[in-house]
Amino acid sequence: MKVFVTKAIPEVGINLMKEAGIEVTVHVDDRPLHSEEMIAVCQQYDAMMSVGFNKIDAHFLERCRHLKVISLFAVGYDNVDIPMATQLKIPVGNTPDVLSRATADTAFLLMLAVSRKAFYNYRKILDGKWKGFEPVADLGIELYGKTLGIFGLGKIGFEMAQKCKAAYGMNIIYHNRNRNLHAEEVLEARYVSYDELLAESDVLSLHANLSESNKEIFNKGAFAKMKPTAIFINTARGALHNEADLKEALEKGLIWGAGLDVTNPEPMDPSNPLLMMPNVCILPHIGSATQETRDGMAIMAAKNVIAGLKGEKLPTIVNPEVYEG
Ligand code: GLV
Ligand code: GLV
């Protein structure tokens, strides 16, 4: 049995698969394969580990319908046509939970960094513009007792809310497709409508999966409903917000600041004006990028490959419907 891994991952994952007797090929070239190359390569393998959000659309799936498993080295699966994978009976695995803390840490880091214009102030030093102590220059805003709005209160959103409540006594409101009764009980989180979330949040942090129904839901109209003092944080998916509208909202002062770990497209162009705005902090999609978390993801993704190749149910599966009927 052979697996194709589309980018280098921590050795623990590779070793686990090798110990299970699987032949492992890792694509180590810096240049990602384009879609036709990816199809041609995957046709030679029994399983694929997708690292770095390869587009796994209907065209790919139809041509690679022999795959016994597609194991995503990620929690998000918006890059995969899940209904088509299910129809073709291809199990798709992901890496939930293990990365929740690290990703919430990244959201927390961005919230704090934006609130004190940290990246801009750092650039001030590099640019030789640190003139000494300035009592009224580039002031930030405090987070104590403010309201945190969570869009998509799953595991990651819960971790973020818990940190913000513990650190700053923040009040938690959230909007979800489904109520999260655990969070309501443990964090006294209050369920609100989307419009209430926009209107009441001092910090609005995104933790939802990207889907057709929420693509660019944070657009001009949404930013107009937010507080002019609000901080917008996106560590989920860049396509949840409209970038031009976000930039305009910041320029016009419709919102106060923004912290992004995800952009659309990725990588972001280094000349993007958002990067130079004082109240904006941007990171290059490092949400889960700690040694501990990436090792954990490698182990989970490897276990999904091993189970899939043995014809067993994947331990963490996106489309369990493949096992029905
Ligand atoms: C990262 O963005 C992930 O989905 O794991
Ligand atoms: C939510 O985003 C989760 O991963 O649970």
Side-chain angles (χ1 to χ4, degrees), residues 97-113:
D97 305 340
V98 66
L99 48 58
S100 298
R101 278 193 187 174
T103 306
D105 280 343
T106 305
F108 192 87
L109 159 68
L110 283 170
M111 171 182 75
L112 207 45

Side-chain angles (χ1 to χ4, degrees), residues 128-311:
K129 291 183 182 149
W130 183 8
K131 301 292 183 214
F133 181 69
E134 296 178 282
V136 294
D138 300 318
L139 303 184
I141 50 178
E142 292 192 7
L143 301 164
Y144 295 91
K146 296 272 169 79
T147 294
L148 171 72
I150 299 273
F151 180 76
L153 185 46
K155 299 264 170 47
I156 301 170
F158 184 90
E159 291 283 344
M160 172 64 171
Q162 197 171 41
K163 279 183 224 298
C164 291
K165 196 174 171 70
Y168 298 116
M170 292 175 86
N171 308 307
I172 314 298
I173 58 176
Y174 76 102
H175 183 73
N176 244 18
R177 274 168 309 177
N178 302 306
R179 294 277 288 263
N180 184 326
L181 297 177
H182 176 63
E184 290 186 22
E185 194 186 311
V186 178
L187 303 175
E188 294 168 275
R190 185 163 55 87
Y191 180 84
V192 294
S193 69
Y194 181 59
D195 277 2
E196 286 168 328
L197 187 81
L198 296 171
E200 293 178 30
S201 297
D202 294 308
V203 176
L204 208 171
S205 192
L206 277 46
H207 301 284
N209 277 316
L210 175 67
S211 66
E212 275 312 314
S213 63
N214 64 18
K215 202 166 265 181
E216 301 200 359
I217 187 170
F218 291 89
N219 55 21
K220 208 185 190 73
F223 294 125
K225 290 177 185 157
M226 288 175 65
K227 293 185 183 179
T229 49
I231 294 175
F232 176 80
I233 302 293
N234 190 356
T235 56
R237 281 294 179 271
L240 289 169
H241 67 256
N242 178 294
E243 192 184 287
D245 291 355
L246 174 62
K247 184 169 161 284
E248 193 183 301
L250 287 160
E251 282 167 350
K252 287 188 173 165
L254 298 181
I255 65 172
W256 190 83
L260 309 175
D261 185 47
V262 289
T263 60
N264 187 19
E266 289 177 9
M268 180 179 250
D269 190 293
S271 69
N272 193 308
L274 276 174
L275 289 162
M276 299 308 278
M277 294 178 81
N279 299 9
V280 175
C281 297
I282 302 183
L283 291 171
H285 205 147
I286 58 156
S288 64
T290 65
Q291 188 69 57
E292 294 88 340
T293 290
R294 289 285 164 84
D295 282 351
M297 291 167 73
I299 291 168
M300 278 176 107
K303 285 183 176 169
N304 279 334
V305 168
I306 295 165
L309 289 178
K310 282 186 183 160

Side-chain angles (χ1 to χ4, degrees), residues 47-54 56 61 67-82 85-86 89-99 237 297-309 312-323:
M48 171 198 205
M49 188 187 291
S50 168
V51 191
F53 321 111
N54 308 286
I56 302 179
L61 290 165
L67 288 174
K68 293 196 162 58
V69 50
I70 295 174
S71 175
L72 308 177
F73 186 89
V75 66
Y77 46 84
D78 52 284
N79 55 319
V80 185
D81 185 336
I82 296 294
T86 305
K89 300 272 182 211
I90 305 171
V92 178
N94 69 341
T95 60
D97 305 340
V98 66
L99 48 58
R237 281 294 179 271
M297 291 167 73
I299 291 168
M300 278 176 107
K303 285 183 176 169
N304 279 334
V305 168
I306 295 165
L309 289 178
E312 291 169 4
K313 191 163 188 269
L314 310 194
T316 46
I317 185 159
V318 177
N319 57 345
E321 299 80 12
V322 291
Y323 301 118

